[in-house]
Amino acid sequence: MSASEEKKFVIKYVFGSLKSLPVRGEMIYGSEVLYGPVEKHYNVFWNIRLHKYESDIIPFLVCKSFQTGNWSINAVSDVFIGEKLLKTGINHEFEQNRSSSRTLAIEKDDFPEYGIDESAQIELHVKIDKMTGNFRNFDDDVAKELSDTVLVVENCKFYVNKMYLSLHSTYFKSLFLGKFAESEKSIIELEGILVMDFHIFLSVIYGFIDIADA
């Protein structure tokens, strides 16, 4: 893979309320961790998840793809806590049944060195080495060529066809063909919906994934 073809991105989030984060095992799984916001990179959804083990904290890189068929991603990350490098070259392997991968534990004794108190800034520099599978996209050249409008959700653009969506959704039929101001717009921003949920919705409408897999 040439330098121009390298798939790289940076994901960063400041986690607060660390002192109130329960130790793993004290509460149900969903309450034992903190979640960063979901971001879309290379047609896959990513976020950082923070665990607490005894007095240490451990960032996890989370990767999710919604599609029919097997897929896998091999990636490498460099981890920064605040502005300080924690570790380079951490390998991650993701697939359908493995959506998260740990980085490195930060021990409580090292918190002052990394500026950790009530909050911690976790920053991962991620490079994707290999992707296998058909990662469906709504903003590639084919989607742009066949679209007549752009839907924007959480700053992510989805190039779609008004008539096709209108045939499969009463909401979009009213939006595109009804007496709304949006019916005349070529770019429409949708609010009150998460980008990952909307990607799944469109994938079902376009037949990229089965409803049972969504």
Side-chain angles (χ1 to χ4, degrees):
M1 183 181 294
S2 67
S4 61
E5 297 174 331
E6 285 186 341
K7 294 181 171 65
K8 295 181 178 180
F9 64 92
V10 176
I11 184 168
K12 177 171 65 175
Y13 188 66
V14 178
F15 292 89
S17 304
L18 294 185
K19 290 184 178 179
S20 64
L21 180 62
V23 175
R24 181 173 172 81
E26 287 186 355
M27 300 180 68
I28 61 172
Y29 180 80
S31 299
E32 297 164 7
V33 297
L34 296 175
Y35 295 88
V38 174
E39 300 180 8
K40 184 182 178 185
H41 300 282
Y42 304 105
N43 310 320
V44 181
F45 296 95
W46 307 81
N47 69 322
I48 302 172
R49 192 175 71 208
L50 193 65
H51 288 250
K52 186 176 183 180
Y53 289 83
E54 297 182 350
S55 298
D56 305 337
I57 58 174
I58 304 178
F60 280 67
L61 180 61
V62 180
C63 167
K64 292 184 179 180
S65 176
F66 300 91
Q67 61 181 48
T68 300
N70 294 324
W71 61 273
S72 65
I73 295 176
N74 294 343
V76 178
S77 71
D78 298 336
V79 183
F80 292 80
I81 309 300
E83 303 296 327
K84 188 176 179 65
L85 178 65
L86 175 68
K87 179 72 174 179
T88 62
I90 298 177
N91 292 308
H92 306 279
E93 295 182 0
F94 304 101
E95 56 188 21
Q96 250 173 342
N97 298 316
R98 186 193 303 164
S99 62
S100 64
S101 175
R102 63 179 288 167
T103 59
L104 192 70
I106 305 113
E107 298 181 359
K108 184 179 180 180
D109 291 343
D110 294 330
F111 282 10
E113 179 182 353
Y114 292 97
I116 299 173
D117 186 17
E118 282 286 350
S119 64
Q121 177 179 290
I122 312 297
E123 181 175 326
L124 304 182
H125 293 228
V126 181
K127 180 170 76 74
I128 298 174
D129 287 332
K130 184 179 180 181
M131 298 178 71
T132 60
N134 189 10
F135 296 89
R136 299 296 184 175
N137 197 359
F138 291 99
D139 61 358
D140 60 11
D141 291 339
V142 174
K144 292 177 181 178
E145 182 180 355
L146 299 177
S147 72
D148 55 13
T149 193
V150 180
L151 301 176
V152 182
V153 179
E154 292 188 321
N155 296 319
C156 289
K157 294 182 178 180
F158 296 83
Y159 291 79
V160 298
N161 181 274
K162 287 183 178 180
M163 188 57 66
Y164 185 83
L165 281 188
S166 297
L167 289 172
H168 292 84
S169 166
T170 55
Y171 170 80
F172 283 111
K173 181 179 180 180
S174 298
L175 184 69
F176 295 144
L177 305 180
K179 296 180 180 180
F180 292 98
E182 286 81 0
S183 63
E184 304 297 326
K185 295 180 179 179
S186 59
I187 300 178
I188 302 172
E189 186 167 350
L190 302 179
E191 298 181 352
I193 185 171
L194 300 176
V195 64
M196 187 164 65
D197 292 342
F198 190 66
H199 183 94
I200 296 172
F201 168 77
L202 286 185
S203 296
V204 172
I205 293 295
Y206 277 81
F208 295 159
I209 61 175
D210 296 327
I211 294 178
D213 297 328

